[in-house]
Amino acid sequence: MKKILYLSVVVILTSCMPNKNKSKEINIYSQRHYNVDELQYQNFEKMTGIKVNVTKANADELIQRLKNEGENSPADLFITVDVGKLWQASDMGLFQKFEDKSVFENLDPQFLDKNGFWVPVTYRSRVVVYSNERVKKDDLSTYEDLANEKWRGRLLVRSSSNAYNQALVSSLVANLGVENTSNWSEAVVKNFARDPKGSDRDQVKAIAAGQGDIAIVNSYYIGLLLASEKEEEIKAGNAVSVFFPNQDDRGAHINVSGLALTKNAPNRENAIELIKYLTSVQAQETYVNNSYEYSINPSVKPDPIVQEWGEFKKDPVDLNMLGVKRDEAIRIFDKTGWK
Ligand code: FE
């Protein structure tokens, strides 16, 4: 009897308390485009009972939407595959700070936002892949060397409207300055095997088809090709090797896929639960083994396919520079005719 009385008091008390998490849900605006994400959200829903609603679009569309919706936005979290877009949205005042030390203590400090707005989820390198048949590893060295005329008509890369390329060139602007990067881009465009088109995967397939000899692509796409169920994709993955540029100086360019709490996150507490989950060792292992990205937690090792490429030195430039220098990068693309 006593127990029943106690229980009913608890029920009455809790139902009177203001409950910030009335809805057991969370709304995400996401630019990520990988199957692993659905798996993560399913796992999270099972663990917490919090339903994850995802709106997918490209980062610019989502940023515009957040801006237009203002205080009425249903979004709690914004997720991108490019830290430059996280910087841009934070610079526009669309986020609130998130500085929970318990989340950050296990993460590599290189991947953290010094301004406290965004949280890294994974990282990746934009590498050079080369034809196993037509290129020797010793022929490659740095991003700068892609401007060498020995690559005339041999280099494959996607269009300059792509955020991955914009981030890479932003890193060059930060490291080498505007003029050097502009000269570099001009020479690189002359080395193109064809007008930029298609995805990163398409560049690798083009090497396999003999349309070019080297390509600039994100590291995990090689893992995804090799793990594919399509024979054509496995063949493409096997036609190339991965090369990390600039290992004798600053290191290879990296970018972060990350997220941020929106300014008015209506389901803030639920969103924080998801941040804690996605940065946990369990979720980090799910990422590395399904999307072939790298973990932001140094204790989580890459997938065996990725481990084969070896460890590499990473460009230590402040990741926010990939956003700060973005306008310069785009101006350089336009000026030098990188379509
Ligand atoms: Fe991608």
Side-chain angles (χ1 to χ4, degrees):
M1 181 62 196
K2 243 186 183 172
K3 202 171 184 186
I4 292 171
L5 193 70
Y6 170 76
L7 272 177
S8 50
V9 169
V10 170
V11 169
I12 291 164
L13 274 178
T14 50
S15 60
C16 293
M17 283 195 296
N19 187 349
K20 274 192 177 163
N21 281 330
K22 282 192 296 286
S23 52
K24 284 285 259 183
E25 65 173 3
I26 166 174
N27 299 312
I28 299 179
Y29 283 3
S30 177
Q31 184 200 12
R32 279 181 61 94
H33 46 271
Y34 316 109
N35 297 333
V36 67
D37 291 46
E38 269 93 78
L39 184 60
Q40 298 282 32
Y41 302 146
Q42 280 167 16
N43 290 345
F44 177 74
E45 281 180 25
K46 268 187 226 149
M47 281 168 54
T48 62
I50 299 170
K51 184 164 186 330
V52 180
N53 307 311
V54 185
T55 302
K56 275 195 207 171
N58 80 40
D60 291 329
E61 284 166 6
L62 294 172
I63 288 173
Q64 199 52 47
R65 195 160 161 174
L66 279 175
K67 192 179 160 215
N68 294 343
E69 289 169 342
E71 284 183 13
N72 299 318
S73 178
D76 301 296
L77 288 175
F78 172 66
I79 306 188
T80 75
V81 292
D82 166 32
V83 73
K85 299 292 177 190
L86 288 170
W87 176 84
Q88 185 192 340
S90 71
D91 193 52
M92 291 166 72
L94 298 174
F95 298 154
Q96 57 180 291
K97 287 200 178 195
F98 177 77
E99 293 174 302
D100 185 332
K101 287 202 177 68
S102 72
V103 167
F104 297 128
E105 66 190 358
N106 298 320
L107 309 186
D108 185 333
Q110 182 183 351
F111 305 122
L112 303 182
D113 178 15
K114 291 173 182 61
N115 303 323
F117 285 104
W118 50 262
V119 181
V121 170
T122 62
Y123 79 95
R124 57 281 294 283
S125 179
R126 196 147 181 76
V127 298
V128 175
V129 295
Y130 60 96
S131 161
N132 291 330
E133 281 178 6
R134 298 181 297 279
V135 178
K136 288 194 293 289
K137 188 182 176 197
D138 289 348
D139 296 338
L140 290 157
S141 57
T142 59
Y143 296 107
E144 288 87 322
D145 182 63
L146 299 177
N148 190 310
E149 60 182 28
K150 73 184 177 198
W151 300 117
R152 190 63 51 91
R154 302 171 75 191
L155 172 62
L156 292 150
V157 66
R158 70 198 293 179
S159 107
S160 64
S161 62
N162 170 258
Y164 302 148
N165 282 338
Q166 293 177 1
L168 170 63
V169 172
S170 300
S171 82
L172 296 179
V173 172
N175 279 304
L176 310 173
V178 172
E179 201 184 321
N180 289 333
T181 307
S182 185
N183 294 337
W184 174 85
S185 180
E186 200 178 335
V188 161
V189 168
K190 285 191 192 134
N191 288 342
F192 285 172
R194 61 179 186 189
D195 278 350
K197 64 172 178 182
S199 65
D200 279 2
R201 275 182 245 232
D202 291 331
Q203 313 312 316
V204 183
K205 290 175 190 170
I207 292 181
Q211 292 165 7
D213 295 339
I214 57 172
I216 304 171
V217 297
N218 279 0
S219 49
Y220 54 87
Y221 284 115
I222 306 307
L224 288 169
L225 286 170
L226 290 171
S228 171
E229 279 161 13
K230 294 181 194 152
E231 203 176 315
E232 175 219 5
E233 298 206 324
I234 300 169
K235 232 178 102 187
N238 280 320
V240 301
S241 296
V242 170
F243 182 82
F244 296 101
N246 297 78
Q247 294 304 288
D248 294 333
D249 47 70
R250 67 180 177 274
H253 166 66
I254 54 159
N255 201 340
V256 147
S257 180
L259 51 74
L261 270 175
T262 62
K263 183 114 193 197
N264 297 294
N267 306 291
R268 186 173 180 274
E269 301 309 314
N270 295 345
I272 289 172
E273 284 303 304
L274 184 61
I275 294 175
K276 288 181 178 167
Y277 169 70
L278 292 178
T279 52
S280 71
V281 167
Q282 182 198 337
Q284 288 294 305
E285 283 173 350
T286 304
Y287 278 127
V288 297
N289 294 322
N290 288 278
S291 65
Y292 306 96
E293 294 167 277
Y294 290 98
S295 173
I296 41 143
N297 181 330
S299 76
V300 176
K301 295 285 160 260
D303 182 88
I305 290 179
V306 178
Q307 280 184 35
E308 285 214 359
W309 309 334
E311 292 185 5
F312 70 100
K313 186 174 170 187
K314 305 183 281 283
D315 181 355
V317 74
D318 177 359
L319 287 163
N320 280 317
M321 285 298 130
L322 306 185
V324 173
K325 301 294 185 187
R326 186 64 51 106
D327 287 346
E328 290 288 6
I330 292 169
R331 262 197 294 277
I332 288 169
F333 282 134
D334 290 345
K335 199 179 89 178
T336 58
W338 186 324
K339 288 183 189 167

